[in-house]
Structure formats: C-alpha cells, structure tokens
Amino acid sequence: MTALAVQGVSWRIGAVPIVDDVTLHLAPDEFIAVIGPNGAGKTSLFNLISGLRRPSAGTVTLAGEDVTGLPVHRRARRGLGRTFQSSAVFGSLTVTENVALAVQARRGGAMRCLRRRSDRSVTERAAGILAEVRLEDRADRSAGDLAHGEKRKLEIALLLAAEPSVLLLDEPMAGVSLEEVPALTEVIRGLTAGTGRSVLMVEHHMDAVLDLADRVAVLHHGALLACDSPDAVMADPFVQKAYLGENL
C-alpha cells in the first residue's frame, strides 16, 4: 500500500497556479526529498498535504484513505506529521518535559508537566524518543539553552511523540551550522531505517538531499519537473536548465 499519494493536486490564487497538477506517491519506508528554487511551491505543497490549505483540484490519500477534506488534527491522528521551518519548542521547559507533553497529548492526557510516579510510562516513552534523536544527554537541560541543531532534533522528537507513519520535514537544516549538519543528517536518516515510517523532506542543503533521499522530486513554477533517483535527477538536462543560475 502507498503510504502517501498526492494525485493531480493543484492550488491557485485567482488565475495564478501556485501548485500545478502535482502527482507524487510515497512508498512505506521511502525517503523523498523535494527541491526547487524559492517560489517553486514546495511549502505550499506541504500545506496542501498537511491540511493547512485545501487544493483547488486533486486528492491527498494517506495509507489508502482519502484525507483531502480532513483538517490538520484529523490527518495527524491518521499518522501524518509535520515540522516547520521556524523553531517550535517550549524554551522554558526541559527537553524531557517538552517531549513528555507531546507524548501525553498523543495519549489524550491533560497538558501538564510530568513529575508524578504515575506518569512513569510517559517519561520512559519520552526517554526512548530522545535516545532515537540522540538528545538523551540533553534531557534535563532547558530547551531554550540548546544549540540550533539540537532544537531541530527536539522538533523531530516532538513529531515522533505523535507516532506518525508519514513525516513531512520542512527545511530541517535551515539555520543549522555546518558543524551540526552531519549529526542532524544521521538523526534524519534513522527516521526510515527499519521503522516503517516514510519521509517527504523539503531541503536546500544539497549534500543532505543527495545523501538521504531514495528519490528527489523537483518542483519548478509549481509543477513537478522530475522525480527520480538523485543521480538521475542531477543528470537531467531539464533540471539543469531549470536551475541554471540557481544556488541550490
């Protein structure tokens, strides 16, 4: 079964196509990177997939279910998770408290910091997630004191707390120092390594794209120009022409 299917999706503002008849299928355990110059429609496509916008045409299907008409929270309950370009962590709480609150929200509990013995299963789950994103040694630090790359890892941890099967990562490397990129890349690589999860990632950092992606989808003026292996996409003359003079 296809994990995520975007079929003929378009979004227009008046007569202007922002996303233009995009069809893209994401298989279980697959990693697709979406690239394109500024204004290509990448974030708009994510908004359509995640439910922040309704498409003018086309459908979005998650694990075989048509979710085109569902709001964001109902898509999330069905296994669709997303990060954003801007940081979204509770800086005054510890790293563990941030993730524990997200775990508790997933389980339907009250939104409160977790300190009682009865909350042990929640904190244990949070600890496991922090180990997966390699932040276990920062568990007791205030989230506001983390380096930017560590905050990006924490955002991924918050996403994992919702137990998604399809993850939309919107420029996870944005603002991350070159020194932090390798460690963050390894965390992102682990998201699909035998986990059953699938990842669709928008990213401008081409070294990470070529290292991580099974396939690369190229958006240009809102349309899907190519979707193939990284080597094939980089060798495509139409892609090269579209990016002539563009700094990827």
Side-chain angles (χ1 to χ4, degrees):
M1 179 181 293
T2 302
L4 174 71
V6 179
Q7 190 70 39
V9 164
S10 298
W11 180 53
R12 295 175 176 269
I13 299 179
V16 179
I18 308 301
V19 176
D20 190 9
D21 194 24
V22 171
T23 293
L24 187 66
H25 293 176
L26 181 66
D29 299 306
E30 187 176 23
F31 196 122
I32 296 180
V34 181
I35 65 172
N38 291 333
K42 303 182 299 296
T43 295
S44 294
L45 177 62
F46 267 30
N47 289 342
L48 296 171
I49 295 172
S50 62
L52 286 176
R53 299 282 186 183
R54 289 288 299 273
S56 306
T59 60
V60 177
T61 303
L62 186 65
E65 179 185 1
D66 188 342
V67 298
T68 312
L70 297 184
V72 173
H73 70 278
R74 292 182 63 185
R75 298 188 197 201
R77 283 291 177 184
R78 284 161 172 77
L80 184 64
R82 177 184 178 177
T83 65
F84 291 82
Q85 295 178 21
S86 57
S87 180
V89 301
F90 294 107
S92 62
L93 299 181
T94 68
V95 170
T96 293
E97 287 169 343
N98 267 270
V99 181
L101 284 173
V103 170
Q104 195 172 46
R106 170 63 180 176
R107 296 182 179 183
M111 296 292 286
R112 64 183 186 278
C113 293
L114 305 161
R115 301 184 185 280
R116 301 183 311 170
R117 184 174 302 175
S118 59
D119 295 316
R120 180 174 298 172
S121 68
V122 175
T123 54
E124 287 177 350
R125 171 64 179 148
I129 294 171
L130 289 177
E132 183 172 355
V133 300
R134 306 182 186 186
L135 278 180
E136 61 268 41
D137 60 340
R138 298 290 191 267
D140 296 326
R141 292 190 62 177
S142 294
D145 293 336
L146 297 178
H148 188 66
E150 292 174 330
K151 287 181 181 177
R152 291 298 192 186
K153 292 180 184 179
L154 180 54
E155 289 163 8
I156 293 172
L158 298 178
L159 185 62
L160 294 179
E163 301 177 10
S165 56
V166 175
L167 290 76
L168 308 181
L169 306 182
D170 195 354
E171 296 194 31
M173 306 290 178
V176 176
S177 68
L178 290 177
E179 292 78 9
E180 293 178 293
V181 166
L184 182 55
T185 298
E186 289 308 307
V187 167
I188 294 173
R189 189 193 314 280
L191 295 176
T192 58
T195 63
R197 306 184 194 112
S198 305
V199 172
L200 192 64
M201 179 181 76
V202 168
E203 185 52 62
H204 287 281
H205 196 293
M206 287 305 297
D207 287 344
V209 166
L210 298 176
D211 187 19
L212 291 168
D214 298 309
R215 289 190 290 155
V216 177
V218 184
L219 284 184
H220 189 59
H221 297 309
L224 186 63
L225 185 62
C227 185
D228 208 332
S229 69
D231 288 343
V233 165
M234 292 299 103
D236 188 319
F238 293 102
V239 173
Q240 294 176 4
K241 183 178 180 180
Y243 282 118
L244 186 62
E246 294 285 353
N247 181 13
L248 294 181

